[in-house]
Amino acid sequence: MAKYLRGILGSQSPTSQPTGADTVARLVDRVQSSTLLDDRRDAVRALKSLSKKFRLEVGTQAMEVLIDVLQTDRSDGEIMSYALDTLYNVVTTQPPEEEDDEFAPVEPVKNLDPEDLSGQFTEIFIKNQDNVSLLLGLLEEYDFHVRRPAVKLLTSLLMNRSNQLQQAILVSPMGVSKLVDLLSDSREVIRNDGLLLLIQLTKSNAAIQKIVAFENAFERLLEIISEEGNSDGGIVVEDCLLLLLNLIKKNSSNQTFFKEGSFIQRLTPFFDLQSAVQPKGQEAGWSAQKVTNIHLMLQVIRTMVSPSNPQQATAACQKVMHQCTLLQQLCTILMASGVPADILTETINTVSEVIRGNNTNQDYFASVTAPSNPPRPAIVVLLMSMVNEKQPFVLRCAVLYCFQCFLFKNEVGQAQIVSTLLPSSAEVGTVTAGQLLCGGLFSLDPLSNWCAAIALSHALKDNTNQKEQLLRVQLATSLGTPPVSLLQQCTNILAQPTSKLQSKVGLLILLCSWMSSSPIAVAHFLNNPSNVPYLTSQVADNVDETDQVIQGLSAFLLGICVQFNDDSILAFNRDNLRQLIHKRIGCEAYAEKLDGVSKHETYTKAASKPQIRYESPDQLLFDYEFTTLFKQLEGVLLTAVKGSTQQETSNNENFKKTIEDHDNIVTQYKTLIREQDTELQDLKTQFAELQKKHTTAESDMEEQKSEIQQLRDQYALLKGKRDVLGQPDVQQTAVMDSFGLTENHEGSANMQKEIEELKQMQESLNQQLRSKDEEIEKIKNDLTAAESRPIVNVNEVSEHNDDGNSLRISEQEAKISEQNQELEELKTVVLEQENEVKNYKSQVEELTNQLQQMGQGSSESAADNAALVAEKVTMETKISDLEGEVSKGNVEIERLTKELDNIVKIKQTLEEENKTLKEQPVAQVQSDDQSDNLKEQIKILTEEKEKHEEEKQKLIDDMASVKKEQDDLLVLLADQDNKLDEYKKKLKELGQSVDDDDDDDDDDDEDDDEDDDDDDDDDSGN
C-alpha cells in the first residue's frame, strides 16, 4: 500500500514522512482538482485504504468531497463503491482491522471512543436530508458494488442514530418501500444485508412498522423462511424472525393484519419436528441455530396471544391456532422427549398463553396425554415436574404458569382438579393432580410448597362451590391418628416454627384465597380456637423486616375473618374479632401492616404481569392473581375492622331511617306519577281532537286546491279557444260574469275592436307601399326606355317629362297626406291605450284597498293577503311594462314622421331635377350622368321603402305584444277576483266577520263606473 501511495503522491525524502492528515489533505485536493476520472478514482481508493486507521482525518476532511463524488460520478460504479466503503469505514463502530502497512503516521493516533466518533460523523452526514435521499436513490442501482455498500452504510447509520435517520427516511418519498424491495433481490448477500437493515429500521417505530408490513413484508419473510428450511435454516431464518418480531410486537395493527392475512396458518410447517425429536439421551437434531430459530418463532406466537393484547384480538388468534393444528403441534413438542430445556420451557409458556381464557383450547389441553406406559394426562406430567425439586427453576415456574392459564376462567377445569382431591374410587397406584398438589404442599421443599399452594388457590378463584368442596378433603397425617381437614393441616404447618418464609407466604395466600367471599370456610377456620390467637400474635409482634410480609398477610387474613364472618362461632363473631384487633393490635398498626404488603418490591413485580419471571427462588413470594385480590379487598377490610358496635347500631338505625325516608319518597313519587298520568291522558285527548281538526282542515285545503286547479285548467282551455277563434266564447263570458268581470270583458271587447281597426289601417298602409313600389318600378322602366330610345325633339321630351313628373309628384303628395292621417290615427290609438292602462291602475288600487281591509278583518288570512300583494306587485310590473311599450310606440311614430319628412324632401329634389331636365338641351352629353343620378335616387328610395316596411312590421309586432299583455292582465284580474271571493268564503266558514259593506262598495263602484261610461257615450254622441 505504501508503494501504491508513493506512486500517487510522489516519492518523499527519507528523512521526513508525511503525517496522516497531510496525506488525506493531498488526496482530497486531488479528488477535487483532477479532471480525469481515473485520477479521482485512484485518489478515492487511497482514501478508502486510509479510512480505517485515520477515521478522524478522513471524516473531517473528505466527507463532503465523497458526497460530491456520489452526486457527480454516478455513472462510474467503481468510484461510487470506493466512496461508499470509505464513508462506511468512517461511521462504523466496528474496530479497525490491523494491517501490516509501511505507511504509518508519525504522531500517535488520538485515543477517541469509536462509538462517540461514529455518532458524531453520523449526525454530520444525516443533518442534510439530501444525503439520506441520495443514499436511498443509490439503492435503485442494480450494480452489486454500489447497492451493497449503500445498504451497509445505511445500516451503520441506523445503528448509530436510529431515531433521526428513521424520521429522515419517513419523510423521503418511497423511502421505506425502496428498503423493503431489498428483500426481493435475487442476490442473497444483498437480501441478507437488507434484512439486517430492516431490523435496525423497524426498532421502536410503529409508523415504519406499519409501512413495512403493508409493503407485503410478511409474505416475503415467510417465503424466505420456507426457502431456507424453516427451523433447520441458518442465520437468515433468525434474521427473518427478528424482523417479524419487530413488526408485530406491541403493534396491534400489524397483529390484526398478520391474523387476517392467514399468516398464522403458515407457521405450522415450522414446528414439524419429527426428524428433530430423537430418542431419550440423543439431541443430534437440535443444533444451536435450530434452538434459536424455534425460540424466536415461539416468541412470535406468544406475541400474537399475549395477555396484554386486546381480549378480542387474543381470542381470535387462539381460535385460529387451534383450527390450524398449531396448538396440537406445540403440545406434541411439549410431550416429546429429547427436547432441550430452554425450548421446553418456552413451549410451555407458549401453550399457556394459547389456552389462557379460551375454553375450547383448555378442553383440548386437558385431553392431551403423554406417550408413556400407562398414558398420563399432560397436566399430571407437568405437575410432576413442578413439584420435583431437581427440575430447573425456570421450568417449574413455566409449569405453574401453564397450570394457572389452564384454570383461568375455566370452572370445568377447576372442578376437575378439586375432584382429584376428594375421596373417589380411583385405581390404586394412579397418580392424580390432587395427589401431586398435596404432596408438594406438605413437602420439605419450600418452592414446592409455594407452587402447590398457588396452584390450589387458582383452583378456587372466583368459585364458591369449589371452596366448599375443598372443605371435605381429609388427610391422614400418620398411622393411628384420625384424619384432619386440609384447612386444618395448612394452619398446623403454618404454626410450626420450622416453616420457612416461602412456605408460610404460600399457605397464607392459599388461605386468603380460600376464605375470601366464603363464610363457610371462615367458620371452619374459626372453629379451631388456636388459629385466631396465632394470627393476632403474628401481627402484634415486633419482628424483623423479612417477616413484615408474614405480618401483612396475617392481618389480611384476620380482616377476611371479620368481613366474611357469619357470626356462627360466638367466641369469634364479628364484634369480638374487631374488639380483639383494637385491643391487641390497634387500627393504625393494622393499617400499617396491610400497607407494608403493597409496598414490598416483590409485590410490585408480581402485579405487573401474569407470567412468573424471577431470577432465583428466593424472590418468589407473590402471585399476580393474589395481588388483584389484595387490591380489591384492602379498603373493604380496613373499613370492616375500624367499625364499632355502636357505630353498627347507629348505622342500622340510620339505615332504617333511610328506608323509611325512601318509602316516603316512593309514595310521593307515586302520587306525582298518578297526577302526571291524568294530565297526560288529558293532553292525549286534546291532542287527538286537535289532530282531527288538523286532518279535516288539511282535507278542506286539498279540496280547495283541487277546485282552484280545476278553475285554472278551465280558464286555460277557454283562453286557448279564444286565441284560436279570435273572439270570446259564450262559456268564457259566462265564467267572467260569474266572477263579476263583465265590465272588464266589455272593455276588452272594445280593445279588440280597436285592434281590428289598427289591423285594417296597417293593411291600407301596406297597399299604399305596394303602389309606391309599382310607381318606382314604372319610373325605372321609363328611364331604361328613355336611355334606349334615339334622341327626339327637345320639345316633345320636355312636354312628356313635364306631364309625367307632374302626375307623379301630385300622386306622391296625395300619398304623403294619407300617411300623415294614418300617423295621427295611430297617435289617437296610443292615447286610448294609455287611458286603458290608467283604468287598470285604478282597478289595482281598489284591489289593494280590499286586501288591506281583509288583512284587518282576520289575522288568519295573512299568508293569503301576502300572496295577493305579490300578485298585485306582478300586475304593477306588467302595467309598467305596458307603459314602456306605449312609450316605445310613441318613439316609433316620431321616427315614422321623420321618415315621411325625408320622403317629402326627396319629392322636392325630384321636382327640382325635373326643372333642370327641362332647361338642359337634349343633345347634351351629360344626359347619361343625369340618368345615373336618377338611378341612384331610385335606389335610395327603394332602400327607404324597405326601412319603412321594417319599421311598419316592428310596429305591428309591438301592437301584438300590447294586445297579449292586455289579455294577460285581464286573466290576472279574473284570478284575483276569484281568490278574493274564495278568501271571503273561507273567513265566513272559519267564523270571522266579513263586512258586507265591502261587497256593497264594490257593487256601487261598478254602478258608478257604468254611469260614467254612459255619460261618456252621450258626450261622444253629441
Side-chain angles (χ1 to χ4, degrees):
M1 177 59 69
K3 294 179 181 179
Y4 174 73
L5 291 174
R6 291 191 192 101
I8 297 175
L9 302 175
S11 62
Q12 301 292 333
S13 62
T15 56
S16 63
Q17 288 185 351
T19 62
D22 294 338
T23 305
V24 171
R26 290 182 181 180
L27 291 172
V28 169
D29 181 66
R30 187 166 184 179
V31 173
Q32 289 178 330
S33 60
S34 297
T35 57
L36 295 178
L37 180 61
D38 294 337
D39 294 340
R40 294 199 302 273
R41 187 187 305 115
D42 294 338
V44 174
R45 185 188 300 114
L47 285 173
K48 173 188 173 184
S49 63
L50 294 174
S51 60
K52 292 185 179 180
K53 287 186 178 181
F54 304 105
R55 291 178 59 198
L56 180 61
E57 290 79 3
V58 174
T60 53
Q61 299 183 39
M63 182 175 286
E64 294 295 332
V65 177
L66 294 173
I67 294 173
D68 292 338
V69 168
L70 294 177
Q71 292 175 347
T72 57
D73 295 330
R74 194 162 181 174
S75 59
D76 187 69
E78 189 175 358
I79 192 172
M80 296 278 288
S81 176
Y82 293 150
L84 290 170
D85 287 335
T86 306
L87 290 173
Y88 172 75
N89 293 334
V90 169
V91 301
T92 186
T93 57
Q94 296 178 358
E97 298 177 359
E98 297 293 335
E99 293 184 359
D100 187 10
D101 197 349
E102 297 178 6
F103 188 79
V106 176
E107 71 276 11
V109 180
K110 296 180 181 179
N111 188 11
L112 295 174
D113 186 7
E115 293 184 0
D116 184 49
L117 191 61
S118 301
Q120 291 178 4
F121 285 136
T122 301
E123 289 181 355
I124 294 171
F125 185 84
I126 66 177
K127 187 176 181 180
N128 189 355
Q129 176 68 29
D130 295 336
N131 296 338
V132 180
S133 301
L134 177 62
L135 280 183
L136 293 174
L138 292 177
L139 294 178
E140 297 178 357
E141 297 290 338
Y142 188 74
D143 189 358
F144 178 83
H145 298 288
V146 176
R147 199 171 199 183
R148 191 187 180 205
V151 173
K152 290 173 64 179
L153 179 57
L154 274 173
T155 306
S156 182
L157 293 173
L158 279 168
M159 293 175 67
N160 296 333
R161 295 291 184 270
S162 60
N163 293 333
Q164 294 90 327
L165 191 55
Q166 283 173 347
Q167 296 302 320
I169 292 173
L170 271 177
V171 298
S172 179
M174 301 295 292
V176 180
S177 300
K178 294 175 183 177
L179 299 177
V180 177
D181 290 340
L182 295 173
L183 298 178
S184 301
D185 200 309
S186 59
R187 295 162 291 191
E188 293 185 0
V189 178
I190 295 179
R191 183 197 67 185
N192 298 340
D193 289 340
L195 280 172
L196 298 176
L197 172 60
L198 290 173
I199 290 171
Q200 296 296 328
L201 180 67
T202 55
K203 285 182 178 179
S204 304
N205 194 309
I208 293 179
Q209 290 170 2
K210 291 179 181 178
I211 296 172
V212 172
F214 283 97
E215 288 288 340
N216 207 19
F218 290 144
E219 178 74 25
R220 185 60 188 143
L221 288 174
L222 293 178
E223 287 178 358
I224 295 173
I225 290 172
S226 179
E227 291 172 0
E228 294 292 328
N230 289 323
S231 60
D232 295 323
I235 190 69
V236 177
V237 175
E238 180 182 352
D239 293 339
C240 290
L241 293 173
L242 287 173
L243 179 57
L244 194 59
L245 273 174
N246 286 348
L247 293 177
I248 65 176
K249 205 167 190 177
K250 296 181 181 179
N251 195 319
S252 58
S253 175
N254 285 357
Q255 290 174 5
T256 305
F257 181 66
F258 191 81
K259 176 185 68 69
E260 292 179 352
S262 301
F263 295 114
I264 295 177
Q265 292 87 331
R266 298 176 62 176
L267 303 180
T268 53
F270 196 90
F271 296 100
D272 188 8
L273 307 177
Q274 296 298 326
S275 60
V277 177
Q278 299 293 332
K280 189 174 183 180
Q282 300 181 10
E283 297 185 2
W286 292 95
S287 62
Q289 187 62 55
K290 185 181 183 69
V291 171
T292 303
N293 293 342
I294 293 180
H295 194 274
L296 289 173
M297 183 57 80
L298 291 173
Q299 289 184 7
V300 169
I301 296 173
R302 290 189 63 186
T303 304
M304 297 297 297
V305 292
S306 174
S308 61
N309 293 342
Q311 185 177 1
Q312 187 176 2
T314 302
C317 293
Q318 289 173 340
K319 182 180 179 181
V320 173
M321 290 178 184
H322 177 68
Q323 292 175 348
C324 69
T325 68
L326 184 59
L327 177 59
Q328 180 181 354
Q329 289 183 326
L330 293 175
C331 292
T332 302
I333 298 173
L334 198 65
M335 294 292 103
S337 58
V339 180
D342 52 350
I343 293 296
L344 182 61
T345 302
E346 189 65 22
T347 304
I348 293 172
N349 290 326
T350 306
V351 172
S352 303
E353 294 182 352
V354 172
I355 67 173
R356 187 176 188 269
N358 191 296
N359 293 329
T360 304
N361 294 356
Q362 289 167 347
D363 293 340
Y364 173 78
F365 182 71
S367 64
V368 175
T369 58
S372 60
N373 191 13
R376 292 175 181 174
I379 297 173
V380 174
V381 175
L382 292 176
L383 289 177
M384 291 173 67
S385 301
M386 186 185 71
V387 298
N388 187 358
E389 57 184 277
K390 294 181 181 181
Q391 294 292 336
F393 169 69
V394 181
L395 178 63
R396 298 173 73 180
C397 291
V399 172
L400 177 59
Y401 181 56
C402 183
F403 192 76
Q404 293 173 358
C405 293
F406 171 68
L407 298 177
F408 183 72
K409 295 182 180 180
N410 186 10
E411 295 183 357
V412 177
Q414 290 175 336
Q416 290 175 355
I417 297 300
V418 173
S419 65
T420 58
L421 293 166
L422 299 174
S424 62
S425 60
E427 296 181 1
V428 179
T430 57
V431 181
T432 62
Q435 293 176 1
L436 292 172
L437 290 175
C438 287
L441 191 62
F442 306 122
S443 68
L444 299 178
D445 180 25
L447 182 58
S448 298
N449 300 150
W450 189 88
C451 291
I454 298 300
L456 272 177
S457 68
H458 280 270
L460 305 175
K461 179 175 171 57
D462 298 332
N463 198 328
T464 307
N465 188 20
Q466 300 308 320
K467 292 177 182 179
E468 296 176 1
Q469 291 293 325
L470 198 61
L471 295 173
R472 297 169 49 198
V473 177
Q474 300 292 321
L475 301 176
T477 56
S478 61
L479 295 174
T481 58
V484 296
S485 64
L486 178 62
L487 182 63
Q488 185 60 42
Q489 184 64 20
C490 292
T491 56
N492 293 337
I493 296 174
L494 189 63
Q496 291 177 2
T498 58
S499 299
K500 295 185 179 181
L501 175 64
Q502 199 170 34
S503 301
K504 289 184 178 181
V505 171
L507 290 172
L508 285 172
I509 290 174
L510 173 60
L511 292 174
C512 292
S513 301
W514 193 348
M515 294 166 58
S516 63
S517 303
S518 180
I520 298 175
V522 172
H524 278 73
F525 180 79
L526 296 176
N527 195 24
N528 188 351
S530 61
N531 290 338
V532 174
Y534 170 75
L535 294 177
T536 53
S537 63
Q538 290 290 324
V539 178
D541 292 342
N542 293 324
V543 294
D544 55 2
E545 187 176 353
T546 57
D547 290 338
Q548 287 181 357
V549 177
I550 302 298
Q551 286 185 331
L553 293 176
S554 299
F556 188 71
L557 186 58
L558 268 177
I560 289 174
C561 293
V562 175
Q563 175 66 24
F564 301 103
N565 196 335
D566 58 357
D567 296 335
S568 59
I569 307 300
L570 297 177
F572 297 107
N573 59 13
R574 186 175 297 179
D575 296 335
N576 294 334
L577 287 175
R578 191 180 292 115
Q579 292 175 4
L580 180 63
I581 293 171
H582 288 177
K583 290 179 181 179
R584 292 288 305 277
I585 303 171
C587 292
E588 293 182 359
Y590 180 83
E592 290 179 359
K593 303 299 182 183
L594 284 179
D595 192 42
V597 175
S598 58
K599 290 182 179 179
H600 201 273
E601 59 179 358
T602 56
Y603 177 90
T604 305
K605 191 173 183 179
S608 61
K609 289 182 179 180
Q611 185 183 3
I612 301 169
R613 287 180 179 269
Y614 294 97
E615 296 178 358
S616 63
D618 298 336
Q619 300 176 354
L620 202 58
L621 293 179
F622 292 103
D623 171 58
Y624 176 80
E625 296 298 336
F626 175 74
T627 59
T628 305
L629 178 65
F630 189 86
K631 292 175 185 177
Q632 292 175 354
L633 297 180
E634 183 180 7
V636 177
L637 298 183
L638 284 173
T639 305
V641 170
K642 289 180 180 180
S644 62
T645 307
Q646 293 179 356
Q647 290 178 352
E648 282 189 356
T649 54
S650 63
N651 289 333
N652 291 331
E653 292 177 358
N654 292 330
F655 183 69
K656 291 179 181 179
K657 289 181 180 179
T658 55
I659 290 174
E660 292 176 357
D661 295 337
H662 178 71
D663 293 336
N664 294 329
I665 292 170
V666 168
T667 53
Q668 291 176 2
Y669 275 114
K670 286 182 178 179
T671 55
L672 181 62
I673 288 169
R674 290 193 188 94
E675 292 176 357
Q676 290 178 351
D677 287 336
T678 55
E679 292 178 359
L680 183 63
Q681 293 296 330
D682 295 337
L683 291 173
K684 283 182 178 180
T685 54
Q686 292 178 5
F687 176 75
E689 293 176 356
L690 292 173
Q691 194 170 10
K692 289 180 180 178
K693 291 180 180 180
H694 179 69
T695 53
T696 53
E698 283 185 347
S699 62
D700 294 338
M701 289 293 292
E702 292 295 332
E703 291 177 357
Q704 291 174 359
K705 286 180 180 179
S706 62
E707 291 177 358
I708 291 169
Q709 188 63 36
Q710 290 176 0
L711 292 172
R712 286 178 179 175
D713 296 338
Q714 187 177 6
Y715 177 73
L717 291 171
L718 293 174
K719 184 179 177 182
K721 289 181 179 180
R722 188 191 64 185
D723 294 337
V724 172
L725 298 175
Q727 59 183 1
D729 193 3
V730 178
Q731 187 177 1
Q732 180 180 3
T733 54
V735 173
M736 299 292 286
D737 293 336
S738 63
F739 290 124
L741 298 174
T742 308
E743 184 181 354
N744 293 329
H745 180 66
E746 292 176 355
S748 64
N750 295 328
M751 186 69 68
Q752 186 71 24
K753 291 179 181 178
E754 293 174 357
I755 290 168
E756 293 294 333
E757 292 176 356
L758 288 172
K759 286 182 178 180
Q760 293 176 0
M761 293 171 64
Q762 289 173 357
E763 291 294 333
S764 63
L765 287 172
N766 290 328
Q767 291 177 359
Q768 292 175 4
L769 287 172
R770 293 191 194 96
S771 62
K772 288 180 181 179
D773 292 336
E774 292 176 355
E775 291 175 358
I776 290 168
E777 290 295 331
K778 289 179 181 179
I779 292 170
K780 288 182 180 179
N781 295 328
D782 294 338
L783 286 173
T784 54
E787 290 175 355
S788 60
R789 289 177 189 171
I791 299 173
V792 295
N793 192 4
V794 175
N795 294 325
E796 293 177 357
V797 172
S798 61
E799 290 175 358
H800 180 72
N801 289 333
D802 290 336
D803 296 334
N805 289 330
S806 61
L807 289 173
R808 289 169 186 166
I809 290 168
S810 61
E811 290 177 357
Q812 287 181 357
E813 287 178 353
K815 291 178 181 178
I816 289 168
S817 62
E818 290 178 358
Q819 289 180 356
N820 288 328
Q821 291 178 0
E822 290 176 357
L823 288 174
E824 291 296 330
E825 291 177 357
L826 288 173
K827 288 181 180 180
T828 55
V829 171
V830 170
L831 290 175
E832 291 176 356
Q833 289 179 353
E834 288 179 353
N835 294 327
E836 290 293 333
V837 170
K838 290 179 182 179
N839 293 329
Y840 290 148
K841 284 185 178 180
S842 63
Q843 291 179 4
V844 171
E845 290 177 358
E846 291 177 0
L847 290 173
T848 53
N849 294 327
Q850 291 179 3
L851 287 172
Q852 291 177 357
Q853 293 176 1
M854 292 291 290
Q856 295 175 359
S858 174
S859 60
E860 294 180 356
S861 61
D864 297 331
N865 291 335
L868 291 173
V869 171
E871 291 180 357
K872 172 210 153 190
V873 171
T874 55
M875 290 176 65
E876 288 178 350
T877 55
K878 290 182 178 180
I879 290 170
S880 63
D881 294 335
L882 288 173
E883 290 177 351
E885 295 293 335
V886 171
S887 63
K888 289 180 181 179
N890 292 328
V891 171
E892 292 294 332
I893 292 169
E894 291 176 358
R895 192 171 59 79
L896 289 173
T897 54
K898 290 180 181 180
E899 294 292 335
L900 290 173
D901 293 335
N902 292 327
I903 293 171
V904 172
K905 290 179 181 179
I906 291 169
K907 184 196 75 169
Q908 293 176 358
T909 55
L910 288 172
E911 290 176 352
E912 291 176 356
E913 288 176 356
N914 288 325
K915 291 179 182 180
T916 56
L917 286 172
K918 291 178 181 180
E919 293 174 358
Q920 292 177 353
V922 177
Q924 193 173 358
V925 182
Q926 295 179 351
S927 63
D928 295 333
D929 295 334
Q930 291 177 355
S931 65
D932 293 336
N933 292 329
L934 186 61
K935 289 180 181 179
E936 290 179 359
Q937 290 177 1
I938 292 168
K939 185 177 180 181
I940 291 168
L941 286 173
T942 55
E943 291 177 354
E944 294 293 334
K945 172 200 157 188
E946 290 176 355
K947 289 181 181 180
H948 184 68
E949 287 180 351
E950 290 177 356
E951 296 296 333
K952 180 189 72 171
Q953 187 64 32
K954 190 173 182 182
L955 182 62
I956 292 169
D957 294 337
D958 292 337
M959 292 300 295
S961 62
V962 169
K963 178 183 175 183
K964 185 177 180 181
E965 294 293 336
Q966 289 175 353
D967 293 337
D968 293 335
L969 188 60
L970 290 173
V971 172
L972 290 173
L973 289 172
D975 290 338
Q976 194 171 11
D977 290 336
N978 189 9
K979 289 181 180 178
L980 284 173
D981 294 335
E982 290 179 357
Y983 294 151
K984 287 179 182 180
K985 290 179 182 179
K986 288 181 182 178
L987 291 173
K988 290 179 180 180
E989 290 176 357
L990 294 172
Q992 297 293 331
S993 61
V994 180
D995 295 335
D996 296 334
D997 297 335
D998 298 337
D999 301 334
D1000 298 337
D1001 293 338
D1002 295 337
D1003 297 336
D1004 295 337
D1005 293 337
E1006 292 176 359
D1007 295 337
D1008 294 336
D1009 293 336
E1010 291 177 357
D1011 295 337
D1012 294 337
D1013 293 336
D1014 295 337
D1015 295 336
D1016 293 336
D1017 295 335
D1018 296 336
D1019 294 336
S1020 62
N1022 294 326

